[in-house]
Amino acid sequence: MAIIFFLGWLGACTRATDRSSSEQTKDSVMLPQGDSQLNSLDTHIEKRQIEDTLKQQLPNNNLRTVQKPKEAQLSYQRYSELPSDNNWNGKPMTQQIELPQKILQENPDTLSRLAVAQYKTYDAYFPKSIADNFEEGISHEFVEYPKKLIFCFQVFEDGFSSTPYHTKNVVIRRNEKGEPYAE
């Protein structure tokens, strides 16, 4: 009994999909310009269009408005130099950042903290050596940290500033425990 009910339901579903697919092909058929069915097809399509009910006007109270720059002003690309052999030997790494002057005045240790955070991300760049003990099947990897790493921060007001308003060198060293600190 259940099998007969299931087969009947399956047949009804296939008939419904056949009807919907025939309606879709009817809408996509190109009719000649002189055909009288063209006008009825156009009105049928217009009736089927659905209005967007999700389109709402949201208040912009929480959004910060940015003034459009003048045509003469250009947005500049900033860069951060990655460490290399020259930097292990004392050459400063240039780090260009955008930081409003007001924030830097309120938090004068911001550049030191940024330098320490950058230093911690450079573990993959530091030279490594491996000590193997073949008799016991043990190997140890040692990271050779530089004695000091110098960051040269060039701080810009925003993306449209062409010259930095502040330049500062921050030296990062490691203490006895191996933790980086800024000088």
Side-chain angles (χ1 to χ4, degrees):
M1 185 67 143
I3 295 173
I4 295 172
F5 177 72
F6 177 74
L7 291 175
W9 177 75
L10 185 63
C13 290
T14 56
R15 277 185 252 124
T17 56
D18 290 341
R19 258 187 267 127
S20 66
S21 65
S22 66
E23 287 177 7
Q24 289 175 355
T25 57
K26 181 181 175 183
D27 290 345
S28 63
V29 172
M30 296 294 291
L31 297 174
Q33 238 177 353
D35 198 348
S36 62
Q37 293 179 351
L38 182 63
N39 292 336
S40 66
L41 184 62
D42 287 342
T43 57
H44 179 68
I45 291 173
E46 288 177 16
K47 289 178 185 176
R48 293 183 69 198
Q49 290 179 351
I50 300 171
E51 291 185 31
D52 187 7
T53 57
L54 298 176
K55 193 179 214 182
Q56 297 175 358
Q57 297 292 340
L58 298 175
N60 291 334
N61 298 341
N62 297 335
L63 300 177
R64 189 181 109 199
T65 57
V66 177
Q67 294 178 351
K68 186 175 178 181
K70 298 176 186 175
E71 291 182 24
Q73 288 182 329
L74 300 174
S75 177
Y76 294 95
Q77 293 288 339
R78 308 290 181 222
Y79 71 94
S80 294
E81 189 176 345
L82 295 175
S84 66
D85 289 339
N86 292 335
N87 302 116
W88 307 151
N89 297 323
K91 179 184 175 239
M93 289 188 306
T94 304
Q95 306 287 314
Q96 294 182 339
I97 61 171
E98 296 172 4
L99 186 67
Q101 195 168 4
K102 179 182 176 185
I103 293 175
L104 188 60
Q105 288 172 352
E106 291 174 1
N107 305 306
D109 63 338
T110 302
L111 296 180
S112 300
R113 291 181 183 220
L114 281 174
V116 170
Q118 281 290 96
Y119 183 88
K120 289 180 180 179
T121 63
Y122 289 155
D123 274 346
Y125 296 100
F126 295 141
K128 294 176 178 56
S129 62
I130 299 174
D132 290 323
N133 183 347
F134 294 110
E135 293 172 359
E136 295 179 17
I138 300 171
S139 65
H140 294 283
E141 181 177 284
F142 296 100
V143 179
E144 298 175 20
Y145 295 103
K147 291 183 181 179
K148 67 178 180 178
L149 195 58
I150 304 170
F151 291 90
C152 177
F153 283 100
Q154 296 177 354
V155 186
F156 295 83
E157 182 70 30
D158 56 17
F160 303 107
S161 301
S162 62
T163 57
Y165 69 84
H166 184 67
T167 302
K168 181 180 180 181
N169 285 344
V170 179
V171 178
I172 302 294
R173 295 186 188 269
R174 295 180 83 77
N175 62 14
E176 297 82 25
K177 296 179 182 178
E179 299 168 354
Y181 67 94
E183 289 186 341

